[in-house]
Amino acid sequence: MAEIILNSLAHSYKASPQSREDYAIRKMTHTWRNGGAYALLGPSGCGKSTMLNIISGLLTPSEGEVMFDNQDVSQLAPQERNIAQVFQFPVVYDTMTVYDNLAFPLRNMKTPEAKVRSRVSEVAELLELNNVLDKRASNLNADEKQKVSMGRGLVREDVSAILFDEPLTVIDPHLKWKLRRKLRQIHEQFHITMIYVTHDQLEAATFAEEIAVMYDGAIVQFGSPRELFERPNHTFVGFFIGSPGMNLLPVQRTSDGNVSFEDMPFSLTDVQRGVLESTDSKNIKVGIRPEFVHVWQEKREDSWEVPIQHVEDLGTYKIVTAMFGTLPIKLRIAEEAPIPQGHAHISFPAQWLKLYIDEYLAGEPEESASATGGQDAN
Ligand code: ADP
Ligand code: MG
């Protein structure tokens, strides 16, 4: 098992990269601590597979180092790195039996046959492959093949880390849920460093203790599911995490040091006003999650009256779409809360109104907002 440090790492698939756009991974430093269960979450094309392949050694980075427990492994071949990697599509030897497929990584390491037998049967048991151990891999269905592929990744106990690159994509939804739980269970049992790549926020949140959100070649936030929800560090995290995502409004500076959206003024906190003053960026946004917008029955001193466009009933809650000036805004209301008719009165609690300058969160108090606790009930 190992701590994995990516030190000033950058990667371009071009021989002589010119601009920022030429990089699949933009210069970054990141630590995956020993024994953690991590998800690497981001949309297609943001650089997730590139990063995994750099960790496993399938790719050599254009810049920077990969360190395992303070040892620079950048120049080591994949076999020398002691890493297991499971891919999106099954990698199995069709002519071998399932047993021999699972035994392969162990025999490769000259593991004694008795030990091979006990590990293979353990993993087969875990993945429910016992009944097919004698079958040739070519006779398996797609789900079974991928389970064998995962089993090959899990069979060695001595690996530094296990990397999963969207391993459940081809798996049937019910089995998907089960396998994800198994992986979690394996992690709890063996505490092997695991990095699980996915583009699905639910999958990330159910597997991982900490999630690295990747966007456009960079990790824009690394934190617990709750931190990503309560304190998105980048507008992309606000928008990508949550269902629906954060409301984001492009705003203008006002003469008193606050901001406004289409002539509707927002009062910022002192800390937010402070950082705003310290930059001359014009790319300023405020963001608030649908869960944190207050919906009132009556007009209040600090509320806006907004026309309602649409109400979507999702069983245990409702998502209301209202117009805030010319932009639609989403509000989440509890099942038992009365549905506002025609218009709603809404306000934005200061604690949950986030300020973004050049797409990054700005002007938060030193203590994490998550430390102050729970969601507002509305
Ligand atoms: P993800 O796994 O998040 O979908 P990738 O790491 O596969 O993203 O790709 C990141 C970027 O690098 C994309 O723009 C992709 O087109 C590009 N890319 C990936 N592999 C190659 C390659 N072998 N040659 C050139 N460009 C590539
Ligand atoms: Mg990929």
Side-chain angles (χ1 to χ4, degrees):
M1 283 186 263
E3 174 174 83
I4 300 170
I5 299 177
L6 307 175
N7 193 18
S8 301
L9 188 85
H11 188 70
S12 175
Y13 287 100
K14 301 199 167 154
S16 46
Q18 305 294 323
S19 65
R20 187 189 135 119
E21 285 71 43
D22 289 344
Y23 283 86
I25 307 268
R26 290 194 270 122
K27 196 163 198 158
M28 54 160 282
T29 292
H30 184 78
T31 300
W32 305 98
R33 285 187 306 275
N34 191 2
Y38 301 111
L40 181 56
L41 172 69
S44 175
C46 71
K48 304 182 297 296
S49 295
T50 303
M51 185 179 290
L52 276 208
N53 293 341
I54 287 173
I55 294 172
S56 66
L58 292 175
L59 264 181
T60 306
S62 330
E63 295 169 34
E65 294 101 46
V66 179
M67 318 278 293
F68 289 180
D69 288 335
N70 295 322
Q71 187 205 349
D72 186 349
V73 299
S74 309
Q75 302 309 317
L76 296 187
Q79 313 77 273
E80 298 170 297
R81 292 195 190 191
N82 215 16
I83 288 250
Q85 191 170 5
V86 180
F87 300 91
Q88 194 166 0
F89 299 102
V91 180
V92 293
Y93 296 108
D94 269 342
T95 54
M96 288 186 192
T97 62
V98 169
Y99 184 97
D100 288 340
N101 264 285
L102 294 174
F104 191 85
L106 296 171
R107 289 177 175 155
N108 231 356
M109 303 296 292
K110 312 258 181 293
T111 310
E113 269 312 301
K115 177 77 188 166
V116 172
R117 218 170 305 128
S118 72
R119 272 307 285 171
V120 168
S121 77
E122 229 175 300
V123 168
E125 167 95 42
L126 196 76
L127 295 173
E128 295 171 22
L129 288 168
N130 317 48
N131 300 331
V132 295
L133 280 175
D134 297 329
K135 266 196 192 178
R136 266 175 201 266
S138 55
N139 295 331
L140 303 178
N141 66 33
D143 281 358
E144 289 169 331
K145 275 195 185 176
Q146 185 64 351
K147 284 206 285 184
V148 174
S149 206
M150 290 176 73
R152 287 161 46 99
L154 296 170
V155 78
R156 282 174 55 200
E157 286 167 306
D158 60 338
V159 289
S160 300
I162 310 180
L163 312 179
F164 299 94
D165 196 347
E166 314 214 29
L168 303 181
T169 312
V170 296
I171 298 264
D172 163 82
H174 177 68
L175 184 60
K176 206 179 233 182
W177 183 80
K178 224 165 109 180
L179 285 178
R180 205 162 55 217
R181 274 199 26 210
K182 295 240 168 184
L183 289 180
R184 195 57 222 240
Q185 212 179 310
I186 292 164
H187 181 264
E188 276 157 20
Q189 215 171 330
F190 299 106
H191 297 286
I192 300 174
T193 312
M194 290 187 177
I195 306 177
Y196 186 101
V197 164
T198 175
H199 59 265
D200 179 335
Q201 56 169 314
L202 267 180
E203 205 164 295
T206 47
F207 173 76
E209 294 153 348
E210 279 180 296
I211 300 175
V213 182
M214 200 166 179
Y215 170 66
D216 196 15
I219 291 177
V220 287
Q221 187 164 10
F222 183 54
S224 67
R226 179 170 177 167
E227 282 161 351
L228 302 182
F229 185 78
E230 294 190 349
R231 206 172 187 264
N233 194 38
H234 188 280
T235 52
F236 177 76
V237 179
F239 154 84
F240 193 66
I241 305 278
S243 174
M246 190 177 225
N247 296 297
L248 288 159
L249 305 168
V251 292
Q252 311 286 325
R253 292 168 190 264
T254 56
S255 53
D256 64 354
N258 285 297
V259 293
S260 69
F261 172 73
E262 296 178 358
D263 296 329
M264 291 176 277
F266 288 94
S267 294
L268 300 177
T269 64
D270 291 344
V271 190
Q272 286 172 330
R273 268 196 302 273
V275 281
L276 196 55
E277 217 169 279
S278 67
T279 140
D280 49 16
S281 169
K282 292 194 168 57
N283 178 6
I284 310 166
K285 294 186 173 119
V286 295
I288 187 163
R289 291 210 177 268
E291 291 81 352
F292 298 144
V293 177
H294 265 303
V295 182
W296 307 99
Q297 288 306 303
E298 314 263 313
K299 184 174 166 45
R300 290 169 52 106
E301 202 181 320
D302 63 346
S303 70
W304 279 289
E305 187 174 330
V306 291
I308 290 175
Q309 297 287 96
H310 182 67
V311 179
E312 191 182 0
D313 193 339
L314 293 165
T316 54
Y317 61 91
K318 298 180 183 71
I319 296 294
V320 175
T321 308
M323 289 309 286
F324 193 69
T326 57
L327 272 192
I329 183 171
K330 306 277 186 188
L331 329 167
R332 176 167 159 152
I333 58 174
E335 189 178 14
E336 66 282 2
I339 305 171
Q341 299 298 315
H343 287 76
H345 300 278
I346 61 168
S347 67
F348 305 136
Q351 183 193 2
W352 299 114
L353 187 74
K354 303 294 175 189
L355 177 70
Y356 293 92
I357 302 177
D358 296 330
E359 311 303 329
Y360 277 92
L361 182 64
E364 285 292 296
E366 282 303 307
E367 254 308 276
S368 155
S370 55
T372 62
Q375 294 185 15
D376 278 4
N378 69 20

